[in-house]
Amino acid sequence: MSKVYGNFIGGEWVACQSKKTFADYNPAHTKEIVAEFQDSGAPEVKSAIDAASGALDAWGRMQAPKRADFFRKAAEILRRRRDEAADALTREEGKNIGEARGEIDRGIALMSFYAGQWPALGGEMVPSFNEGRMLYTLRVPVGVVALITPWNFPAAIPMWKTLPALLCGNTVVLKPSSLAPHSSALFAEVLAEAGLPAGVFNMVTGGGREVGDVLVSDPRIRAISFTGSREVGKAIMRKVADRLIRVGLEMGGKNPMIVMDDANLDRAVEDTVVGAFWAAGHKCTATSRAIVTEKIHDQFVEKLVTRTKALRIGDGMDPKTEVCPVIDENQTKKILEYIEIGKKEGAKLLCGGERLKGGIYDEGCYVAPAVFAGLSPDMRTAQEEIFGPVVGVIKVKDFDEAMRVANNIEFGLSASISTRDLKTALEFARRSEAGIVHVNSPTAGLELQAPFGGCKESTSGYREMGKVALDFYSQIKTVYVDA
Ligand code: NAD
């Protein structure tokens, strides 16, 4: 029997009124239920917001170093439960166990990082034109914050939203993805064991419409931080526009890797493979377009195909696995449809792109990593986010054309270039219409102490992680004091 988790509301694990639950399945063995969760609706969302509203005043008044102490304790607890949390992550999301451990380690590092950020919550003393006047600023909480998260980083994303939100004195209602809510439930357990006061952090599981939509529609929610698809992000923005609240949206990408004539080709191929295929391409920062100069194009493609064909595809629990299963049947169907679209558009499928069968592959959703060549920049396969193990190669004449192709897209999350020339690298960093720019490293990959976020339709403009996240979760109050 799999464990049934309640919602975490007001410091208690509670069942939903309807008594309905849903299952979280293992993508490597789709008959295996990882755990079951509450199929919640409006009553549960209301109770969670009630709890968060009730806890807001005391939590916001608590001295910031004291709030930070809970994160220090949480980091110790998560360090102790690291292997259990990583196993749970691989079992619900599919990614390779090494990557899952890395994600949990990032969670621990985020806890330590934000535990150390309380001095950044100070304001500033401002010189006044008026004699005897004291003029200063304070950072104050925004209020009750709704956090809505996707399935592909089910441990790290809820943590990188919750920790700065709480540090700033807000209280939280988290709605994790129904495809991978287990990691959020473990996070709730860790916060509870760390002694976080009841109601400060709440988690409600359930559908996007039944929970997410109801949550963002409640007038008591003063800020929303959402990570997920562009379509849902835009719908949320439209829905709450009249309330003029803060809406942080981090959405999709169609990230380019430019490979120049002077690149170290083996390294460029490896960076493309890591960016495109690790975690089955289930990364908003995954490499989906390799933009390669004509002089080295054929050689690059040959090496890329050879390396891709040699990739080990399997259950993420096997440490040797390089390409893990796709999250579920729906996503598998979507990827296979895009493979057909690419073929119809005239792109040349050089390897992969089929559903794998036989042995362990019959137990889950496995798609062979695909390389398309001959992509032209306006094809759908070159413009739309596929979110699977698919990369398309686009041949260009030179750097200027590469930049035009890289930027000719509605998304703008991450971009990378492979070059040995410093001038080209710096010019790329300047001209790239992406929020994250890499030189000689994969498009996927980030450090938690630096700002994270995109440009154009990948974002609503705020940044996550690092110190800058505190700006989203706090507001500045200006105080004029005359004696
Ligand atoms: P999704 O948009 O389908 O779902 C995201 C979350 O929104 C889920 O919790 C879902 O239940 C909820 N939701 C769905 N409908 C809703 C509604 N009407 N109102 C409120 N909430 C609703 O996205 P997904 O499939 O879970 O994740 C994949 C997407 O996330 C990809 O586009 C990927 O690029 C993006 N992503 C972006 C980043 C980033 O930081 N930019 C990181 C990871 C994933």
Side-chain angles (χ1 to χ4, degrees), residues 332-353:
T332 306
K333 198 167 151 256
K334 179 181 163 195
I335 295 165
L336 298 177
E337 275 168 16
Y338 268 106
I339 297 289
E340 289 313 310
I341 291 169
K343 287 198 244 171
K344 280 199 194 108
E345 288 178 312
K348 205 162 168 207
L349 183 64
L350 300 181
C351 65

Side-chain angles (χ1 to χ4, degrees), residues 242-263:
D242 263 357
R243 302 209 325 261
L244 299 176
I245 60 173
R246 242 169 240 205
V247 185
L249 307 172
E250 279 308 324
M251 298 164 288
K254 188 75 185 174
N255 311 294
M257 157 67 94
I258 296 179
V259 185
M260 297 298 299
D261 286 354
D262 67 344

Side-chain angles (χ1 to χ4, degrees), residues 10-28:
E12 308 277 337
W13 291 94
V14 282
C16 65
Q17 274 184 17
S18 70
K19 306 284 175 219
K20 279 199 232 150
T21 59
F22 66 90
D24 177 7
Y25 293 97
N26 181 344

Side-chain angles (χ1 to χ4, degrees), residues 169-337:
N170 306 287
T171 55
V172 158
V173 179
L174 167 69
K175 188 226 131 6
S177 165
S178 300
L179 292 177
H182 195 192
S183 297
S184 287
L186 293 183
F187 178 42
E189 284 181 356
V190 167
L191 292 177
E193 194 183 332
L196 199 73
V200 167
F201 171 84
N202 307 276
M203 179 197 72
V204 181
T205 54
R209 285 191 193 290
E210 298 75 9
V211 174
D213 188 58
V214 179
L215 179 60
V216 299
S217 304
D218 192 296
R220 292 173 293 172
I221 295 296
R222 299 309 308 155
I224 298 164
S225 179
F226 164 88
T227 300
S229 62
R230 184 171 53 162
E231 294 62 35
V232 174
K234 284 184 177 182
I236 290 175
M237 182 74 113
R238 281 192 293 269
K239 178 128 216 170
V240 303
D242 263 357
R243 302 209 325 261
L244 299 176
I245 60 173
R246 242 169 240 205
V247 185
L249 307 172
E250 279 308 324
M251 298 164 288
K254 188 75 185 174
N255 311 294
M257 157 67 94
I258 296 179
V259 185
M260 297 298 299
D261 286 354
D262 67 344
N264 173 334
L265 262 201
D266 289 331
R267 187 166 160 191
V269 166
E270 198 55 30
D271 286 351
T272 305
V273 164
V274 168
F277 301 137
W278 266 215
H282 291 336
K283 293 185 184 177
C284 50
T285 51
T287 305
S288 44
R289 297 178 294 152
I291 302 170
V292 185
T293 48
E294 57 192 10
K295 205 161 146 195
I296 47 135
H297 172 271
D298 293 357
Q299 220 187 332
F300 174 85
V301 168
E302 195 188 320
K303 281 177 184 275
L304 178 63
V305 170
T306 307
R307 176 71 178 105
T308 303
K309 282 182 175 165
L311 287 169
R312 287 185 296 263
I313 307 156
D315 183 346
M317 287 309 266
D318 178 350
K320 292 202 199 86
T321 288
E322 291 173 300
V323 183
C324 67
V326 167
I327 185 78
D328 68 356
E329 288 296 338
N330 285 338
Q331 193 63 22
T332 306
K333 198 167 151 256
K334 179 181 163 195
I335 295 165
L336 298 177
E337 275 168 16

